[in-house]
């Protein structure tokens, strides 16, 4: 297959029409994989905390499952970034998705034998799917022009909506499936996750050929040589807008920390106030829909009105979500739903604008490795947010968690304007 890819590479390097066809084909393959990946992602978000609480008998460690699979996603992001840098997007992403599916199978086993140790190990491995789901957005941008990048990110993300919204709302039906075959009800969503992640990985592995990142590198190299600037190749490899990378990274990390912390404890908060799994699934489903469904519009806005404006909108929306979550009564399905929808929307603004800033600030020769490294910090931030969210709620309240989230979100705004002033100077 490697030889086939090498033989077809010149056709893409020398033809803009072929490049556009490959760009559209790549987006289609990413869309297909993200539909499956979204369903796999939703399982851990919805019932991971409840499964741990059921096994351990306390909510103090309810944030640990999300912490573990976000910590696992940090390691996976590093590995996927490294594999993608050396071998291309296809092998990196398929490795992550299939590994996540194996982790989901382990969670099913842990729930069956009621083993917290196996649960925690499996959730860590399951995190690889979460990382792949997020990093797949980069594959759609490799062949996109500067004015298409945010839109390409959004197209890749919007497909996740179908699986991610269906996932939480399949909690009760999948629980019945699990019970019917002799497994605990809470293991049901992870049956869906295992199948979904493995299908996503196989879709990427089989169909993402030729690899868009490898093609983009060949095109960049060819263009430099054609312009008789061979000496500039090495300089271009080293050229990185470090301020832009920092701002994009902070935007991704802080928005993710706020979103994960509040989202993780919402199912536990609702259950403590008498809500059932169906109501929890509805709220989380709408939250995940808000994370991904607005993506197409967000991408267009980021490309047209600018990265900075949408980054500020992210901070303000996340802050409003934290304040609403803090003041919403624990038994109010309406207000918690509104708060979680705003939480997802603010995260969406931050993810797409932050990703676009990072792509603008790097080059094709080192981009995959940089992207992977930043996603490591995103995952580590999410892991810290998950752990601290459980401790904060256990020793203070869910309202305090909301206020802390709002404060962190507002920190984004001075960081963004500092960077803008720095770049002008």
């Amino acid at each position: 297959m490697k030889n086939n890819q090498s033989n077809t590479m010149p056709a893409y390097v020398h033809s803009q029409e072929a490049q556009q066809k490959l760009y559209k084909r790549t987006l289609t393959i990413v869309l297909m994989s993200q539909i499956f990946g979204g369903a796999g992602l939703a399982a851990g978000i919805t019932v991971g905390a409840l499964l741990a609480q059921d096994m351990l008998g306390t909510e103090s460690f309810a944030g640990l499952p999300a912490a573990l699979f976000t910590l696992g996603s940090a390691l996976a992001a590093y590995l996927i970034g490294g594999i993608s840098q050396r071998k291309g997007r296809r092998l990196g992403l398929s490795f992550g998705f299939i590994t996540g599916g194996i982790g989901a199978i382990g969670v099913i086993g842990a729930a069956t034998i009621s083993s917290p140790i196996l649960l925690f190990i499996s959730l860590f491995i399951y995190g690889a799917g979460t990382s792949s789901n997020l990093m797949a957005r980069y594959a759609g941008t490799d062949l996109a022009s500067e004015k298409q990048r945010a839109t390409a990110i959004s197209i890749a993300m919007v497909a996740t909506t179908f699986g991610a919204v269906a996932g939480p709302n399949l909690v009760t039906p999948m629980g019945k499936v699990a019970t019917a075959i002799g497994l605990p009800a809470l293991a049901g969503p992870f049956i869906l996750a295992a199948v979904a992640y493995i299908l996503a990985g196989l879709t990427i592995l089989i169909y993402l050929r030729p690899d868009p990142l490898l093609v983009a590198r060949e095109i960049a190299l060819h263009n430099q040589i054609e312009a008789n600037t061979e000496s500039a190749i090495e300089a271009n490899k080293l050229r990185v807008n470090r301020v832009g990378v920092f701002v994009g990274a902070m935007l991704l990390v802080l928005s993710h920390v706020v979103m994960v912390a509040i989202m993780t404890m919402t199912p536990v908060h609702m259950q403590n106030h008498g809500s059932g799994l169906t109501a929890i699934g509805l709220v989380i489903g709408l939250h995940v829909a808000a994370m991904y469904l607005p993506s197409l519009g967000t991408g267009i806005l980021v490309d047209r009105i600018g990265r900075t404006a949408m980054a500020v909108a992210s901070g303000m929306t996340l802050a409003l979500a934290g304040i609403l979550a803090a003041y919403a009564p624990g038994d109010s399905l309406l207000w918690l739903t509104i708060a979680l929808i705003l939480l997802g929307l603010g995260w969406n603004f931050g993810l797409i604008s932050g990703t676009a800033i990072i792509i603008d600030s790097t080059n094709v020769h080192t981009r995959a490795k940089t992207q992977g490294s930043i996603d490591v910090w995103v995952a580590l931030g999410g892991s810290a947010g998950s752990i601290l969210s459980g401790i904060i709620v256990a020793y203070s309240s869910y309202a305090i968690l909301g206020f802390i989230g709002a404060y962190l979100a507002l920190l984004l705004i001075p960081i963004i304007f500092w960077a803008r002033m720095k770049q002008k100077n």
Side-chain angles (χ1 to χ4, degrees), residues 205-262:
L205 183 64
I206 295 170
Y207 295 108
L208 195 64
R209 301 171 185 269
D211 192 287
L213 180 59
L214 300 183
V215 172
R217 283 184 191 160
E218 290 295 323
I219 292 170
L221 184 62
H222 171 75
N223 291 341
Q224 289 166 339
I225 293 173
E226 283 288 301
N228 196 27
T229 57
E230 293 183 51
S231 61
I233 294 174
E234 290 301 318
N236 186 59
K237 289 182 181 180
L238 299 174
R239 183 176 56 81
V240 174
N241 180 350
R242 297 187 183 280
V243 173
V245 170
F246 172 77
V247 172
M250 289 300 295
L251 186 53
L252 291 178
V253 171
L254 283 180
S255 61
H256 195 64
V257 167
V258 173
M259 187 277 292
V260 169
I262 296 174

Side-chain angles (χ1 to χ4, degrees), residues 138 141 149 153 354-363 367 371:
Y138 292 121
T141 67
R149 285 170 181 167
I153 297 163
T355 301
I357 290 170
I358 290 165
I359 295 170
D360 292 344
S361 304
T362 55
N363 61 75
R367 187 167 292 152
Q371 290 163 343

Side-chain angles (χ1 to χ4, degrees), residues 245-284:
V245 170
F246 172 77
V247 172
M250 289 300 295
L251 186 53
L252 291 178
V253 171
L254 283 180
S255 61
H256 195 64
V257 167
V258 173
M259 187 277 292
V260 169
I262 296 174
M263 174 198 68
T264 297
M265 294 312 298
T266 298
V268 175
H269 179 64
M270 291 179 67
Q271 189 178 62
N272 289 344
H273 285 82
S275 296
L277 281 178
T278 302
I280 292 170
L282 175 64
V283 171
I284 297 299

